[in-house]
């Protein structure tokens, strides 16, 4: 009788281990699928008020051609592109974002007239990058990126 019980226990243990291993493999596959899906989330159009508020800002008066996107995954990334009067860019940046370190010269891989960044955004974002391109004598194109890290 003792042998019969021991024999049954011997068969149940490998079955339980196989079921547990199968569950672990399925859980791991689901986790990989979920993370890969989050990383591959494409940028989608978003309201500019939402995109700029994420970085603690607003669309400037007189801004035109505004286009904004959001990309969510592990981190969140909002981008706003718009045109505004060139003469107002520096004043608006200084008035609204005194912590923003605007500079000229080397501003990354793109060719821009000025750029700035800050780690404190006043919004939900952890960081904010701004790039300004002078399109002509009166118009500047501004690109604002606010994101979590």
């Amino acid at each position: 009788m003792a042998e019969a019980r021991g024999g049954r226990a011997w068969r149940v243990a490998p079955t339980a281990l196989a079921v547990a291993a199968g569950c672990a493999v399925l859980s791991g596959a689901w986790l990989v699928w979920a993370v890969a899906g989050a990383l591959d989330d494409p940028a989608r159009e978003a309201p500019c008020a939402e995109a700029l508020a994420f970085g603690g800002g607003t669309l400037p008066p007189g801004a035109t051609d505004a286009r904004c996107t959001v990309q969510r995954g592990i981190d969140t990334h909002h981008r706003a592109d718009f045109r505004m009067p060139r003469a107002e860019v520096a004043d608006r940046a200084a008035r609204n974002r005194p912590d923003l370190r605007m500079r000229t010269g080397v501003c990354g891989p793109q060719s821009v007239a000025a750029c700035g960044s800050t780690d404190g955004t006043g919004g939900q974002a952890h960081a904010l990058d701004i790039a300004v391109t002078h399109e002509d004598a009166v118009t500047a194109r501004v690109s604002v990126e606010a994101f979590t890290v």
Side-chain angles (χ1 to χ4, degrees), residues 26-40:
L26 288 175
S27 295
W30 176 82
L31 181 63
V32 167
W33 174 79
V35 169
L39 294 175
D40 293 337

Side-chain angles (χ1 to χ4, degrees), residues 42-142:
R44 295 184 301 275
E45 284 194 43
C48 285
E50 172 188 316
L52 290 164
F54 187 77
T58 59
L59 194 62
T64 60
D65 302 324
R67 182 175 180 273
C68 300
T69 59
V70 62
Q71 185 173 14
R72 289 188 174 93
I74 293 174
D75 299 321
T76 301
H77 183 263
H78 282 271
R79 182 181 177 108
D81 290 296
F82 55 88
R83 290 177 173 80
M84 67 179 289
R86 180 176 167 174
E88 297 174 16
V89 172
D91 182 52
R92 178 165 172 88
R95 218 174 342 109
N96 293 311
R97 300 307 308 258
D99 62 327
L100 187 65
R101 299 173 300 276
M102 291 298 285
R103 62 191 182 281
T104 58
V106 178
C107 290
Q110 64 222 39
S111 175
V112 296
C115 59
S117 60
T118 182
D119 293 335
T121 67
Q124 295 173 313
H126 298 149
L128 180 74
D129 290 333
I130 296 177
V132 179
T133 305
H134 296 162
E135 290 191 329
D136 56 34
V138 295
T139 307
R141 180 174 179 206
V142 179

